[in-house]
Amino acid sequence: NDRQAILQTIAGEKHDLQRVNFKETNLKELFGINVFNDATQKAMLPKPIYKALQRTIKQGDVLDPTIADAVANAMKDWALSKGATHYTHLFYPMTGLTAEKHDSFLSPTSDGGAIAEFSGKELVRGEPDASSFPSGGIRATFEARGYTAWDPTSPAFIFDGPNGATLVIPTAFVSWTGEALDKKTPLLRSMEAVSKQAIRVLRLFGNHAAKKVFSTVGPEQEYFLVDKHFYFARPDLITSGRSLFGAPSPKGQELEDQYFGSIPERVLACMAELETELFKLGVPVKTRHNEVAPAQYEIAPIFEDSNLAHDHQMLTMEVIRRTAPKYGMVALFHEKPFKGINGSGKHNNWSLATDLGENLLEPGATPHDNAQFLVFCAATIRAVAKYPELLRVSVASAHNDHRLGANEAPPAIISIFLGDQLQDVMDQLEAGGAKSTKQGGFMEVGVSVLPKLPKDAGDRNRTSPFAFTGNKFEFRAVGSSQSIAGPNTVLNTIVAESLDYVATQLESMTKAGKPLNQAIQELLPTILKESKKVLFNGDGYSAEWHAEAERRGLPNLKTTVDALPVIVRQDSLELFSKYKVYSERELQSRYNILCETYVKNVSVEGKTVLMIGKTMILPAAIRYQSELASSIAATKAAGVEVPSQVELLKTLAGSIGALQSALAKLEHDLGHHADGDPIEHAKAARDGILASSTAVREIADSLETMVPGDLWPMPTYLDMLFIK
Ligand code: ADP
Ligand code: MG
């Protein structure tokens, strides 16, 4: 490492900051140009085929197989006109990433030429032979092949790059036995489940127009950008996405001069380009700003139905990842890339909306609307109160463990923030009208008007993992590198279960002759009584809350290893199989995969700590030791006593010794695996490898404050966070 050389290179480097020019290209003309969207479908498909396809997309009708050829043909012509040479089925395996395998459109002809072909069969089903993806035991080798199935509800698009354009078709990835091998299939199933139950509730309110209810999601993505020269000089960032070493920078985020500050020129140019690419792909990105930590940024789209939001979220990460290097930077999506400053999350804004666009968590202007709002809101509260551990495990990962529970991210205890007004309404309802609201008057369902609920971002409680924000809930515990499919699958399913309960209760009461409003007025107190333990409007970071939550009996699953067994608990198996979201085998496989993934992540980090510790940090410290020792010897020989330098040498030698023992302990832990089931491996990784890696880091970070800068083998926190 030659810090001066790296800094000089960065300072001298010119980046083209004018790669996109919105004065030449109108934003509006750009949006969706690379998407086989509604307008394109309409223009390119015969009318009856267009209509059949739209019925499948908008109302979930089963796709008529006879139209597939016509759709495929139109897609191909459109893709060729955009310069595409290949097509690919994009899928979302259990790695949490995206996967693709490209096939050319070309087919040879008998006369030695070739034609471009794409059949309905090729559109509808692919066989990627992707047998190396984790299946958690679902696929034995004889049935190792999975197939991809076209998801017509997520439009195909063109991914365009300097090396050619590809037609990308979003798909579900399933085994031949019909089991989900991916993250999209369960998400789609959970959307079905919540739609079905929400429709039952809507029918009770006399809504017969809505045919389907969609869960809607607007995921806010936080990420870091660091200069690629630093990134390349940090093996830990390369293997693990986070810095496994690093003493704190003398300046961190304490001056609060980054949050919403003016965006650095280079970063802004990068954002403009990645937004352009996302616009072309029809991703409705809306907001960008600096986040709290130095070098941290955020991008947020306008919400969409959760399937589309998921696909677009994956695409957003991919486009950010690809665009940053064009500006000499690397994007870090890790939940905690730098110790001691804020980590990154992916705030998952969630609601339910009908196919006619009505937001079911929007308090309305009329008492009727409000009764409906209160029912959907209470059902969501009930769901979170009943299944907090499922929400917790849906965001569990080795990475996110470094964020959840640190005092800048929501705690691992799941609770709901409602805000004063709504909390007051709920308290009133729970008391059964026996208590007046803060505004005065009683809350009578179907008669009272709700107080005005604030939507203003200013007075929000940022410490809550699950907050009502005016017309949606915001699940804040989701990790920045995570796929949003899992958390939303859980959310949709637990809310489906609650809506099922609510609908069943209300149906039976109204059938017995009770007016709907009265039935609601009777049901809501019961729900709120059993669920109110999860409601908490105070400071989620405080120690008092941890004690209070324990008194209330709320689970506090601190680490991934504590959370994972929830997946295969009897109540989870029953819930997910009842709503046909995951079968028992599918859950078992996810449990296995997540345990293994945890062990792999922790092991890769441990091996990286060992490598850096042994081959970079220890030698640097020894070099300094030898320099110091020679200097002391020379000084002594010249007749000058330097006792304080001798002390320094002793301290240094002591730290080097401690580093060696810590490394030896880590090496030992890396070589010893627990026997038995997957969770035992995970436990051993957490208590062994992770703990000893942390111990190595502590000593190494203190060495960083002693060893001369020119000997230190890696870029520092100061370099990575502040040189932009
Ligand atoms: P803020 O959090 O600053 O109030 P917004 O309310 O505009 O900002 O929304 C933040 C995110 O929540 C955006 O991605 C937005 O699209 C999304 N969002 C807004 N309404 C809904 C909804 N009904 N369902 C899901 N997400 C929503
Ligand atoms: Mg927000």
Side-chain angles (χ1 to χ4, degrees):
N1 172 49
D2 187 344
R3 179 162 185 267
Q4 287 313 319
I6 293 187
L7 294 181
Q8 258 167 30
T9 313
I10 294 174
E13 220 164 32
K14 292 264 175 298
H15 300 280
D16 179 3
L17 303 185
Q18 256 129 33
R19 293 164 55 98
V20 287
N21 183 347
F22 288 110
K23 289 180 190 131
E24 278 162 21
T25 330
N26 189 305
L27 193 62
K28 242 169 56 195
E29 282 155 27
L30 227 53
F31 192 80
I33 55 164
N34 284 347
V35 186
F36 194 65
N37 56 16
D38 196 336
T40 312
Q41 291 168 19
K42 199 169 192 170
M44 304 218 39
L45 290 168
K47 209 165 184 182
I49 294 185
Y50 166 74
K51 284 199 161 154
L53 182 59
Q54 284 295 313
R55 275 197 303 276
T56 299
I57 294 169
K58 301 238 161 84
Q59 288 152 26
D61 286 9
V62 176
L63 185 82
D64 175 356
T66 60
I67 72 166
D69 272 326
V71 176
N73 202 41
M75 256 187 211
K76 178 207 66 191
D77 289 346
W78 173 76
L80 292 179
S81 79
K82 295 265 170 196
T85 52
H86 289 66
Y87 69 91
T88 181
H89 277 197
L90 183 72
F91 57 105
Y92 307 90
M94 291 299 303
T95 53
L97 305 170
T98 53
E100 52 192 88
K101 175 184 155 212
H102 298 194
D103 281 300
S104 145
F105 284 118
L106 279 193
S107 291
T109 52
S110 54
D111 59 0
I115 50 160
E117 264 185 339
F118 186 48
S119 69
K121 225 177 86 203
E122 288 165 310
L123 165 64
V124 171
R125 172 176 286 198
E127 290 175 40
D129 185 27
S131 49
S132 296
F133 284 108
S135 78
I138 281 191
R139 295 184 299 173
T141 33
F142 68 92
E143 54 171 20
R145 285 155 74 105
Y147 69 88
T148 50
W150 177 37
D151 169 18
T153 60
S154 182
F157 56 89
I158 303 280
F159 212 97
D160 202 354
N163 301 313
T166 305
L167 170 68
V168 183
I169 301 153
T171 63
F173 182 42
V174 286
S175 77
W176 288 105
T177 45
E179 281 158 316
L181 296 170
D182 67 347
K183 298 207 164 234
K184 182 193 267 274
T185 307
L187 177 63
L188 288 169
R189 292 174 184 162
S190 74
M191 288 171 71
E192 275 304 310
V194 77
S195 175
K196 199 168 145 197
Q197 303 305 331
I199 286 285
R200 279 174 68 199
V201 174
L202 287 178
R203 295 292 183 260
L204 282 161
F205 279 96
N207 180 339
H208 296 276
K211 291 200 172 63
K212 215 174 150 66
V213 166
F214 289 93
S215 51
T216 53
V217 173
E220 306 166 40
Q221 173 77 54
E222 294 176 335
Y223 60 99
F224 281 78
L225 290 173
V226 299
D227 192 282
K228 69 167 198 269
H229 292 92
F230 296 137
Y231 176 86
F232 291 147
R234 296 278 320 205
D236 47 0
L237 290 185
I238 295 172
T239 65
S240 311
R242 76 171 173 119
S243 53
L244 298 165
F245 294 96
S249 157
K251 179 181 193 290
Q253 63 192 42
E254 62 279 77
L255 293 176
E256 291 163 346
D257 47 359
Q258 160 82 359
Y259 189 52
F260 282 12
S262 83
I263 302 173
E265 218 40 68
R266 169 151 70 130
V267 172
L268 191 58
C270 172
M271 286 177 171
E273 177 159 349
L274 69 90
E275 285 168 347
T276 308
E277 288 313 305
L278 288 167
F279 288 147
K280 289 188 204 160
L281 295 165
V283 181
V285 287
K286 177 84 177 162
T287 315
R288 63 186 183 203
H289 60 80
N290 284 4
E291 256 303 331
V292 170
Q296 191 186 28
Y297 307 94
E298 177 177 308
I299 182 169
I302 294 171
F303 69 93
E304 301 177 279
D305 81 63
S306 44
N307 182 37
L308 214 48
H310 161 263
D311 292 6
H312 281 164
Q313 217 295 301
M314 298 303 285
L315 211 46
T316 300
M317 288 198 283
E318 179 65 17
V319 170
I320 296 174
R321 207 176 275 130
R322 287 187 191 214
T323 310
K326 295 180 188 166
Y327 296 86
M329 296 183 291
V330 174
L332 303 176
F333 291 109
H334 194 287
E335 281 73 0
K336 194 78 175 178
F338 302 100
K339 191 180 160 189
I341 56 170
N342 278 15
S344 301
K346 187 137 56 195
H347 293 177
N348 190 90
N349 295 276
W350 177 95
S351 188
L352 293 171
T354 67
D355 53 347
L356 303 171
E358 185 190 358
N359 178 357
L360 301 175
L361 288 172
E362 172 88 50
T366 68
H368 172 275
D369 286 349
N370 285 331
Q372 185 181 300
F373 160 73
L374 289 172
V375 166
F376 279 97
C377 192
T380 309
I381 293 171
R382 181 184 175 277
V384 177
K386 193 168 173 190
Y387 297 106
E389 291 152 299
L390 281 178
L391 283 174
R392 170 65 186 93
V393 74
S394 79
V395 298
S397 73
H399 304 162
N400 213 8
D401 279 358
H402 296 287
R403 171 176 165 264
L404 296 182
N407 273 1
E408 31 83 14
I413 307 164
I414 302 290
S415 67
I416 301 181
F417 168 85
L418 288 181
D420 286 347
Q421 277 91 335
L422 189 55
Q423 181 69 51
D424 187 37
V425 169
M426 292 297 173
D427 287 346
Q428 238 275 336
L429 283 169
E430 189 214 325
K435 183 175 149 202
S436 76
T437 61
K438 281 190 184 146
Q439 282 71 29
F442 294 103
M443 188 68 218
E444 199 178 334
V445 169
V447 179
S448 308
V449 183
L450 288 179
K452 222 168 160 35
L453 303 178
K455 267 184 210 167
D456 161 24
D459 79 1
R460 275 185 202 163
N461 180 329
R462 305 210 162 262
T463 67
S464 176
F466 203 89
F468 184 73
T469 52
N471 57 2
K472 60 188 183 287
F473 281 96
E474 184 170 349
F475 185 21
R476 302 203 180 110
V478 182
S480 49
S481 70
Q482 252 196 308
S483 153
I484 60 167
N488 285 296
T489 301
V490 168
L491 203 42
N492 292 339
T493 309
I494 63 178
V495 173
E497 192 271 345
S498 267
L499 290 171
D500 183 0
Y501 168 80
V502 167
T504 305
Q505 297 293 316
L506 294 179
E507 278 162 7
S508 97
M509 288 195 256
T510 50
K511 246 184 222 127
K514 220 166 251 170
L516 178 66
N517 286 336
Q518 197 189 326
I520 296 170
Q521 189 92 40
E522 280 177 35
L523 178 64
L524 293 190
T526 331
I527 292 181
L528 291 167
K529 270 195 189 73
E530 65 185 31
S531 307
K532 72 173 174 193
K533 62 173 192 277
V534 82
L535 300 177
F536 176 66
N537 292 298
D539 180 2
Y541 298 166
S542 68
E544 294 84 66
W545 169 233
H546 285 242
E548 161 82 11
E550 199 175 330
R551 268 196 300 283
R552 293 191 191 185
L554 294 180
N556 183 2
L557 301 170
K558 291 203 177 79
T559 69
T560 298
V561 179
D562 303 313
L564 288 176
V566 173
I567 299 175
V568 285
R569 233 165 49 182
Q570 193 55 29
D571 55 338
S572 312
L573 302 180
E574 277 163 19
L575 171 78
F576 287 114
S577 56
K578 177 164 182 199
Y579 294 96
K580 301 192 166 48
V581 173
Y582 293 112
S583 68
E584 188 169 338
R585 247 162 70 92
E586 286 169 344
L587 277 180
Q588 189 68 47
S589 84
R590 271 137 193 92
Y591 171 70
N592 292 342
I593 291 170
L594 289 168
C595 287
E596 280 166 22
T597 305
Y598 180 86
V599 174
K600 286 175 192 164
N601 282 334
V602 170
S603 304
V604 167
E605 285 189 0
K607 288 183 212 163
T608 309
V609 167
L610 188 65
M611 179 194 98
I612 294 176
K614 275 173 109 168
T615 67
M616 296 169 78
I617 293 174
L618 185 62
I622 291 176
R623 266 178 217 149
Y624 175 43
Q625 180 180 249
S626 123
E627 213 174 83
L628 193 55
S630 320
S631 158
I632 290 170
T635 315
K636 272 190 170 170
V640 182
E641 289 301 321
V642 278
S644 66
Q645 289 178 35
V646 174
E647 278 316 303
L648 178 60
L649 180 59
K650 281 185 189 157
T651 311
L652 180 65
S655 293
I656 290 173
L659 181 66
Q660 284 178 304
S661 333
L663 285 167
K665 165 85 170 66
L666 172 60
E667 190 156 20
H668 173 270
D669 289 343
L670 278 165
H672 287 76
H673 294 285
D675 288 326
D677 62 40
I679 197 72
E680 292 307 320
H681 286 273
K683 247 185 221 144
R686 179 192 63 185
D687 301 337
I689 301 168
L690 182 60
S692 9
S693 301
T694 311
V696 170
R697 177 185 186 151
E698 254 163 51
I699 303 160
D701 287 0
S702 81
L703 277 167
E704 190 184 331
T705 66
M706 294 191 236
V707 173
D710 61 336
L711 288 182
W712 195 252
M714 287 187 298
T716 63
Y717 269 29
L718 177 70
D719 297 336
M720 291 186 283
L721 293 169
F722 289 97
I723 294 178
K724 293 171 194 169

